[in-house]
Amino acid sequence: MTISSTQLVDDSFKVINKISGARNENETLINLDNLKGSTNESEISIANVYYEIEGTGTVTLQFDNEKELTMTGIDNYGLKPTETKIKGTGDITIKTDANVDKFSLMLECHKEIGFSNG
């Protein structure tokens, strides 16, 4: 199964994508160059993720600079007081292992720096 990614929001503050897929995925989800107002100095953060992962495997969101968020089961990341935004540089890639039957997630990223509001 290939990744299905639908961009729901791309405004001056945030980007929200709905994503689904299955095992052995390795694709770029958020390409900074394609976001509204992006410049060569743009940076985003993972602010909130709602996820449902079926099977015993893991789904990983990773920035180019290796910062990452690993998810299993059904939960969310980013709403609890102890969970901070994960800031990174570059595009965001999604990777799944062979034990993921299927997954779906809602990914909210905040535009941190380097975006024009025009």
mmCIF file of all heavy atoms in Angstrom, residues 6-38:
data_model
loop_
_atom_site.group_PDB
_atom_site.id
_atom_site.type_symbol
_atom_site.label_atom_id
_atom_site.label_comp_id
_atom_site.label_asym_id
_atom_site.label_seq_id
_atom_site.Cartn_x
_atom_site.Cartn_y
_atom_site.Cartn_z
ATOM 1 N N THR A 6 -3.191 13.882 2.332
ATOM 2 C CA THR A 6 -4.037 14.978 1.889
ATOM 3 C C THR A 6 -3.733 16.197 2.743
ATOM 4 O O THR A 6 -3.854 16.142 3.972
ATOM 5 C CB THR A 6 -5.530 14.614 2.036
ATOM 6 O OG1 THR A 6 -5.779 13.411 1.321
ATOM 7 C CG2 THR A 6 -6.418 15.731 1.519
ATOM 8 N N GLN A 7 -3.347 17.287 2.104
ATOM 9 C CA GLN A 7 -3.080 18.526 2.834
ATOM 10 C C GLN A 7 -4.409 19.239 3.068
ATOM 11 O O GLN A 7 -5.112 19.585 2.130
ATOM 12 C CB GLN A 7 -2.127 19.415 2.054
ATOM 13 C CG GLN A 7 -1.670 20.621 2.842
ATOM 14 C CD GLN A 7 -0.616 21.405 2.080
ATOM 15 O OE1 GLN A 7 -0.919 22.041 1.102
ATOM 16 N NE2 GLN A 7 0.610 21.311 2.551
ATOM 17 N N LEU A 8 -4.755 19.432 4.347
ATOM 18 C CA LEU A 8 -6.019 20.071 4.710
ATOM 19 C C LEU A 8 -5.863 21.571 4.921
ATOM 20 O O LEU A 8 -6.789 22.332 4.646
ATOM 21 C CB LEU A 8 -6.594 19.418 5.970
ATOM 22 C CG LEU A 8 -6.806 17.900 5.899
ATOM 23 C CD1 LEU A 8 -7.258 17.369 7.243
ATOM 24 C CD2 LEU A 8 -7.786 17.542 4.805
ATOM 25 N N VAL A 9 -4.702 21.983 5.450
ATOM 26 C CA VAL A 9 -4.449 23.398 5.748
ATOM 27 C C VAL A 9 -3.003 23.726 5.392
ATOM 28 O O VAL A 9 -2.106 22.928 5.664
ATOM 29 C CB VAL A 9 -4.689 23.713 7.249
ATOM 30 C CG1 VAL A 9 -4.322 25.145 7.585
ATOM 31 C CG2 VAL A 9 -6.117 23.416 7.657
ATOM 32 N N ASP A 10 -2.787 24.878 4.799
ATOM 33 C CA ASP A 10 -1.451 25.452 4.616
ATOM 34 C C ASP A 10 -1.631 26.962 4.649
ATOM 35 O O ASP A 10 -1.865 27.588 3.622
ATOM 36 C CB ASP A 10 -0.807 25.007 3.308
ATOM 37 C CG ASP A 10 0.621 25.542 3.139
ATOM 38 O OD1 ASP A 10 1.123 26.217 4.065
ATOM 39 O OD2 ASP A 10 1.226 25.285 2.077
ATOM 40 N N ASP A 11 -1.573 27.523 5.858
ATOM 41 C CA ASP A 11 -1.740 28.969 6.004
ATOM 42 C C ASP A 11 -0.436 29.589 6.505
ATOM 43 O O ASP A 11 0.604 28.940 6.477
ATOM 44 C CB ASP A 11 -2.940 29.312 6.903
ATOM 45 C CG ASP A 11 -2.822 28.781 8.327
ATOM 46 O OD1 ASP A 11 -1.681 28.529 8.796
ATOM 47 O OD2 ASP A 11 -3.865 28.623 8.990
ATOM 48 N N SER A 12 -0.484 30.802 6.974
ATOM 49 C CA SER A 12 0.746 31.488 7.387
ATOM 50 C C SER A 12 1.310 30.961 8.708
ATOM 51 O O SER A 12 2.450 31.272 9.053
ATOM 52 C CB SER A 12 0.500 32.991 7.501
ATOM 53 O OG SER A 12 -0.456 33.248 8.508
ATOM 54 N N PHE A 13 0.548 30.134 9.448
ATOM 55 C CA PHE A 13 0.987 29.656 10.759
ATOM 56 C C PHE A 13 1.216 28.146 10.821
ATOM 57 O O PHE A 13 2.101 27.668 11.506
ATOM 58 C CB PHE A 13 -0.034 30.054 11.824
ATOM 59 C CG PHE A 13 0.275 29.533 13.194
ATOM 60 C CD1 PHE A 13 1.364 30.013 13.908
ATOM 61 C CD2 PHE A 13 -0.504 28.541 13.765
ATOM 62 C CE1 PHE A 13 1.670 29.518 15.179
ATOM 63 C CE2 PHE A 13 -0.212 28.037 15.024
ATOM 64 C CZ PHE A 13 0.870 28.529 15.737
ATOM 65 N N LYS A 14 0.395 27.365 10.111
ATOM 66 C CA LYS A 14 0.464 25.906 10.287
ATOM 67 C C LYS A 14 0.169 25.164 8.999
ATOM 68 O O LYS A 14 -0.340 25.723 8.025
ATOM 69 C CB LYS A 14 -0.517 25.464 11.370
ATOM 70 C CG LYS A 14 -1.971 25.668 11.010
ATOM 71 C CD LYS A 14 -2.874 25.229 12.158
ATOM 72 C CE LYS A 14 -4.321 25.565 11.896
ATOM 73 N NZ LYS A 14 -4.642 26.975 11.926
ATOM 74 N N VAL A 15 0.486 23.863 9.038
ATOM 75 C CA VAL A 15 0.184 22.917 7.969
ATOM 76 C C VAL A 15 -0.444 21.700 8.637
ATOM 77 O O VAL A 15 0.076 21.205 9.639
ATOM 78 C CB VAL A 15 1.466 22.476 7.233
ATOM 79 C CG1 VAL A 15 1.157 21.455 6.171
ATOM 80 C CG2 VAL A 15 2.196 23.663 6.660
ATOM 81 N N ILE A 16 -1.583 21.231 8.106
ATOM 82 C CA ILE A 16 -2.228 20.031 8.638
ATOM 83 C C ILE A 16 -2.419 19.048 7.497
ATOM 84 O O ILE A 16 -2.986 19.401 6.454
ATOM 85 C CB ILE A 16 -3.584 20.353 9.305
ATOM 86 C CG1 ILE A 16 -3.388 21.311 10.477
ATOM 87 C CG2 ILE A 16 -4.261 19.052 9.770
ATOM 88 C CD1 ILE A 16 -4.682 21.777 11.126
ATOM 89 N N ASN A 17 -1.929 17.812 7.704
ATOM 90 C CA ASN A 17 -2.057 16.750 6.708
ATOM 91 C C ASN A 17 -2.743 15.546 7.320
ATOM 92 O O ASN A 17 -2.496 15.203 8.490
ATOM 93 C CB ASN A 17 -0.690 16.308 6.188
ATOM 94 C CG ASN A 17 -0.091 17.277 5.214
ATOM 95 O OD1 ASN A 17 -0.328 18.476 5.285
ATOM 96 N ND2 ASN A 17 0.710 16.762 4.299
ATOM 97 N N LYS A 18 -3.575 14.876 6.525
ATOM 98 C CA LYS A 18 -4.182 13.590 6.879
ATOM 99 C C LYS A 18 -3.433 12.532 6.085
ATOM 100 O O LYS A 18 -3.321 12.618 4.865
ATOM 101 C CB LYS A 18 -5.664 13.602 6.499
ATOM 102 C CG LYS A 18 -6.379 12.318 6.777
ATOM 103 C CD LYS A 18 -7.841 12.417 6.340
ATOM 104 C CE LYS A 18 -8.522 11.082 6.516
ATOM 105 N NZ LYS A 18 -9.914 11.136 6.039
ATOM 106 N N ILE A 19 -2.915 11.506 6.786
ATOM 107 C CA ILE A 19 -2.023 10.526 6.169
ATOM 108 C C ILE A 19 -2.476 9.118 6.534
ATOM 109 O O ILE A 19 -2.842 8.859 7.678
ATOM 110 C CB ILE A 19 -0.571 10.739 6.648
ATOM 111 C CG1 ILE A 19 -0.102 12.153 6.303
ATOM 112 C CG2 ILE A 19 0.365 9.721 6.048
ATOM 113 C CD1 ILE A 19 0.433 12.899 7.462
ATOM 114 N N SER A 20 -2.396 8.217 5.561
ATOM 115 C CA SER A 20 -2.649 6.803 5.841
ATOM 116 C C SER A 20 -1.696 5.965 4.993
ATOM 117 O O SER A 20 -1.198 6.411 3.964
ATOM 118 C CB SER A 20 -4.105 6.426 5.552
ATOM 119 O OG SER A 20 -4.414 6.639 4.190
ATOM 120 N N GLY A 21 -1.462 4.735 5.448
ATOM 121 C CA GLY A 21 -0.550 3.846 4.750
ATOM 122 C C GLY A 21 -0.457 2.513 5.450
ATOM 123 O O GLY A 21 -1.331 2.159 6.243
ATOM 124 N N ALA A 22 0.612 1.781 5.182
ATOM 125 C CA ALA A 22 0.780 0.441 5.753
ATOM 126 C C ALA A 22 2.256 0.168 6.023
ATOM 127 O O ALA A 22 3.005 1.088 6.308
ATOM 128 C CB ALA A 22 0.189 -0.605 4.814
ATOM 129 N N ARG A 23 2.658 -1.073 5.879
ATOM 130 C CA ARG A 23 4.016 -1.504 6.234
ATOM 131 C C ARG A 23 5.056 -1.095 5.201
ATOM 132 O O ARG A 23 4.751 -0.842 4.051
ATOM 133 C CB ARG A 23 4.042 -3.014 6.442
ATOM 134 C CG ARG A 23 3.725 -3.811 5.200
ATOM 135 C CD ARG A 23 3.728 -5.325 5.453
ATOM 136 N NE ARG A 23 2.954 -5.736 6.585
ATOM 137 C CZ ARG A 23 1.678 -6.112 6.558
ATOM 138 N NH1 ARG A 23 1.023 -6.098 5.429
ATOM 139 N NH2 ARG A 23 1.075 -6.495 7.647
ATOM 140 N N ASN A 24 6.288 -1.015 5.694
ATOM 141 C CA ASN A 24 7.474 -0.775 4.860
ATOM 142 C C ASN A 24 7.392 0.488 4.007
ATOM 143 O O ASN A 24 7.801 0.486 2.856
ATOM 144 C CB ASN A 24 7.759 -2.000 3.983
ATOM 145 C CG ASN A 24 8.072 -3.231 4.798
ATOM 146 O OD1 ASN A 24 8.720 -3.151 5.844
ATOM 147 N ND2 ASN A 24 7.602 -4.368 4.356
ATOM 148 N N GLU A 25 6.871 1.550 4.594
ATOM 149 C CA GLU A 25 6.809 2.834 3.904
ATOM 150 C C GLU A 25 8.069 3.632 4.206
ATOM 151 O O GLU A 25 8.655 3.510 5.270
ATOM 152 C CB GLU A 25 5.586 3.652 4.353
ATOM 153 C CG GLU A 25 4.261 2.939 4.214
ATOM 154 C CD GLU A 25 3.700 2.911 2.808
ATOM 155 O OE1 GLU A 25 4.423 3.284 1.868
ATOM 156 O OE2 GLU A 25 2.547 2.515 2.642
ATOM 157 N N ASN A 26 8.458 4.485 3.266
ATOM 158 C CA ASN A 26 9.574 5.403 3.464
ATOM 159 C C ASN A 26 9.418 6.514 2.428
ATOM 160 O O ASN A 26 9.897 6.388 1.308
ATOM 161 C CB ASN A 26 10.909 4.684 3.304
ATOM 162 C CG ASN A 26 12.082 5.577 3.644
ATOM 163 O OD1 ASN A 26 11.933 6.767 3.901
ATOM 164 N ND2 ASN A 26 13.271 4.997 3.647
ATOM 165 N N GLU A 27 8.698 7.565 2.804
ATOM 166 C CA GLU A 27 8.381 8.645 1.872
ATOM 167 C C GLU A 27 8.461 10.000 2.553
ATOM 168 O O GLU A 27 8.258 10.113 3.757
ATOM 169 C CB GLU A 27 6.966 8.482 1.308
ATOM 170 C CG GLU A 27 6.784 7.331 0.364
ATOM 171 C CD GLU A 27 5.408 7.328 -0.278
ATOM 172 O OE1 GLU A 27 4.816 8.410 -0.460
ATOM 173 O OE2 GLU A 27 4.924 6.228 -0.575
ATOM 174 N N THR A 28 8.701 11.027 1.764
ATOM 175 C CA THR A 28 8.659 12.393 2.265
ATOM 176 C C THR A 28 7.208 12.826 2.380
ATOM 177 O O THR A 28 6.441 12.717 1.422
ATOM 178 C CB THR A 28 9.414 13.351 1.323
ATOM 179 O OG1 THR A 28 10.785 12.936 1.262
ATOM 180 C CG2 THR A 28 9.339 14.782 1.818
ATOM 181 N N LEU A 29 6.825 13.294 3.572
ATOM 182 C CA LEU A 29 5.456 13.769 3.810
ATOM 183 C C LEU A 29 5.334 15.267 3.616
ATOM 184 O O LEU A 29 4.420 15.749 2.976
ATOM 185 C CB LEU A 29 5.028 13.463 5.253
ATOM 186 C CG LEU A 29 4.601 12.078 5.605
ATOM 187 C CD1 LEU A 29 4.144 12.040 7.048
ATOM 188 C CD2 LEU A 29 3.486 11.614 4.696
ATOM 189 N N ILE A 30 6.227 16.002 4.258
ATOM 190 C CA ILE A 30 6.196 17.458 4.208
ATOM 191 C C ILE A 30 7.471 17.921 3.516
ATOM 192 O O ILE A 30 8.566 17.747 4.035
ATOM 193 C CB ILE A 30 6.135 18.082 5.624
ATOM 194 C CG1 ILE A 30 4.982 17.507 6.441
ATOM 195 C CG2 ILE A 30 6.078 19.601 5.528
ATOM 196 C CD1 ILE A 30 3.617 17.975 6.049
ATOM 197 N N ASN A 31 7.324 18.501 2.337
ATOM 198 C CA ASN A 31 8.444 19.060 1.601
ATOM 199 C C ASN A 31 8.416 20.572 1.810
ATOM 200 O O ASN A 31 7.488 21.244 1.356
ATOM 201 C CB ASN A 31 8.320 18.705 0.115
ATOM 202 C CG ASN A 31 9.513 19.145 -0.683
ATOM 203 O OD1 ASN A 31 10.099 20.194 -0.420
ATOM 204 N ND2 ASN A 31 9.866 18.351 -1.668
ATOM 205 N N LEU A 32 9.401 21.092 2.516
ATOM 206 C CA LEU A 32 9.412 22.519 2.859
ATOM 207 C C LEU A 32 9.291 23.421 1.636
ATOM 208 O O LEU A 32 8.615 24.443 1.685
ATOM 209 C CB LEU A 32 10.686 22.880 3.618
ATOM 210 C CG LEU A 32 10.720 22.516 5.095
ATOM 211 C CD1 LEU A 32 12.048 22.937 5.705
ATOM 212 C CD2 LEU A 32 9.584 23.130 5.850
ATOM 213 N N ASP A 33 9.920 23.036 0.543
ATOM 214 C CA ASP A 33 9.903 23.874 -0.656
ATOM 215 C C ASP A 33 8.494 24.051 -1.230
ATOM 216 O O ASP A 33 8.237 25.003 -1.953
ATOM 217 C CB ASP A 33 10.805 23.289 -1.742
ATOM 218 C CG ASP A 33 12.275 23.343 -1.358
ATOM 219 O OD1 ASP A 33 12.640 24.170 -0.486
ATOM 220 O OD2 ASP A 33 13.054 22.546 -1.913
ATOM 221 N N ASN A 34 7.582 23.121 -0.910
ATOM 222 C CA ASN A 34 6.230 23.177 -1.456
ATOM 223 C C ASN A 34 5.235 23.901 -0.562
ATOM 224 O O ASN A 34 4.065 24.029 -0.928
ATOM 225 C CB ASN A 34 5.719 21.761 -1.733
ATOM 226 C CG ASN A 34 6.528 21.063 -2.807
ATOM 227 O OD1 ASN A 34 7.175 21.704 -3.623
ATOM 228 N ND2 ASN A 34 6.502 19.745 -2.799
ATOM 229 N N LEU A 35 5.656 24.359 0.609
ATOM 230 C CA LEU A 35 4.737 25.039 1.526
ATOM 231 C C LEU A 35 4.590 26.514 1.163
ATOM 232 O O LEU A 35 5.534 27.159 0.697
ATOM 233 C CB LEU A 35 5.222 24.913 2.974
ATOM 234 C CG LEU A 35 5.305 23.491 3.521
ATOM 235 C CD1 LEU A 35 5.801 23.526 4.960
ATOM 236 C CD2 LEU A 35 3.962 22.787 3.427
ATOM 237 N N LYS A 36 3.414 27.037 1.416
ATOM 238 C CA LYS A 36 3.124 28.444 1.131
ATOM 239 C C LYS A 36 4.059 29.354 1.927
ATOM 240 O O LYS A 36 4.204 29.200 3.136
ATOM 241 C CB LYS A 36 1.677 28.753 1.511
ATOM 242 C CG LYS A 36 1.214 30.154 1.144
ATOM 243 C CD LYS A 36 -0.163 30.476 1.694
ATOM 244 C CE LYS A 36 -1.210 29.584 1.083
ATOM 245 N NZ LYS A 36 -2.561 29.929 1.529
ATOM 246 N N GLY A 37 4.725 30.268 1.234
ATOM 247 C CA GLY A 37 5.597 31.238 1.883
ATOM 248 C C GLY A 37 6.978 30.723 2.238
ATOM 249 O O GLY A 37 7.750 31.408 2.901
ATOM 250 N N SER A 38 7.319 29.519 1.795
ATOM 251 C CA SER A 38 8.605 28.916 2.151
ATOM 252 C C SER A 38 9.775 29.674 1.514
ATOM 253 O O SER A 38 9.682 30.151 0.386
ATOM 254 C CB SER A 38 8.631 27.463 1.692
ATOM 255 O OG SER A 38 9.860 26.859 1.986
#
